[in-house]
Amino acid sequence: TQLLEQSPQFLSIQEGENLTVYCNSSSVFSSLQWYRQEPGEGPVLLVTVVTGGEVKKLKRLTFQFGDARKDSSLHITAAQPGDTGLYLCAGGSNQGGKLIFGQGTELSVKP
Amino acid sequence: NAGVTQTPKFQVLKTGQSMTLQCAQDMNHNSMYWYRQDPGMGLRLIYYSASEGTTDKGEVPNGYNVSRLNKREFSLRLESAAPSQTSVYFCASDRGETQYFGPGTRLLVL
């Protein structure tokens, strides 16, 4: 069974700080996705990484896929209150579009 | 273009009652999914449908049934609700590897 371990589970920081969220597995994934979910809504895709070692940037967010395609990280620079939410990583398998989700990281950025 | 819609938004059931959660997408996607989300456990796949007329079990299918009514609609049925099924249920459809989620149904089973 493929599992994704996400850490930390909770993160509370002040505006302007940097943070990193990790997503680790012993399994290889064909792709790794990061979603953001706000209260009362469904997850929304932020980025997909598919190549080992790939780095993608989305404004202040930097996403990296591990060389062996077993892990990923999300780094936020100078966090803002608008970044508050639940961040989920999800691994793609070779079984069609099925995804394996991590447990999520609840981020709170205080002004 | 509404994307993925789900009804109802909230529901309270008594143990043993049945209900059907409805999901529809207007993006002409082939694959559709049902997940449940519980605190600290991320999203767990209940059932999925790779195309109209096919359904398959996911990670946590016990106590649920599904119907892929047509390409647009994918329903989830609880035949005899249990308190352990209290959760938030999300429907999703996908294009390639991008999944698009509905707003969720919050279900409380007493």
Side-chain angles (χ1 to χ4, degrees), chain B residues 79-94:
Chain B
E79 291 291 351
S80 179
S84 62
Q85 294 178 304
T86 292
S87 188
V88 182
Y89 292 85
F90 288 98
C91 176
S93 66
D94 76 15

Side-chain angles (χ1 to χ4, degrees), chain B residues 18-30:
Chain B
S18 63
M19 79 162 294
T20 300
L21 283 66
Q22 306 287 353
C23 173
Q25 53 94 6
D26 61 2
M27 296 176 282
N28 202 36
H29 291 165
N30 286 323

Side-chain angles (χ1 to χ4, degrees), chain A residues 9 30-31 33 35 37 39-45 48 50 86 88 92-93 95-104, chain B residues 31 33 35 37-45 48 57-59 88 90 94 96-104 106:
Chain A
Q9 194 170 351
S30 59
S31 66
Q33 300 181 5
Y35 289 79
Q37 184 179 14
E41 298 182 8
V44 176
L45 180 69
T48 300
V50 297
L86 178 68
L88 295 156
S93 67
Q95 300 176 45
K98 287 173 61 178
L99 297 174
I100 305 296
F101 280 86
Q103 306 98 313
Chain B
S31 298
Y33 306 82
Y35 294 91
Q37 185 174 38
D38 302 291
M41 301 190 75
L43 290 159
R44 292 183 292 168
L45 183 65
Y48 68 102
K57 295 179 180 179
E59 180 186 355
V88 182
F90 288 98
D94 76 15
E97 292 187 324
T98 301
Q99 291 198 7
Y100 298 84
F101 287 83
R106 284 143 189 82

Side-chain angles (χ1 to χ4, degrees), chain A residues 3 9 14-15 18 29-30 36 38 52 57 60 62 65 70 72 74 80 86-87 89 91 93 96 102-103:
Chain A
L3 292 173
Q9 194 170 351
Q14 293 295 130
E15 182 176 2
N18 301 332
F29 290 97
S30 59
R36 179 166 173 263
E38 299 198 29
K57 292 191 175 184
R60 294 176 293 100
T62 302
F65 201 11
K70 293 182 179 181
S72 181
L74 158 61
Q80 299 177 1
L86 178 68
Y87 290 81
C89 64
S93 67
Q103 306 98 313

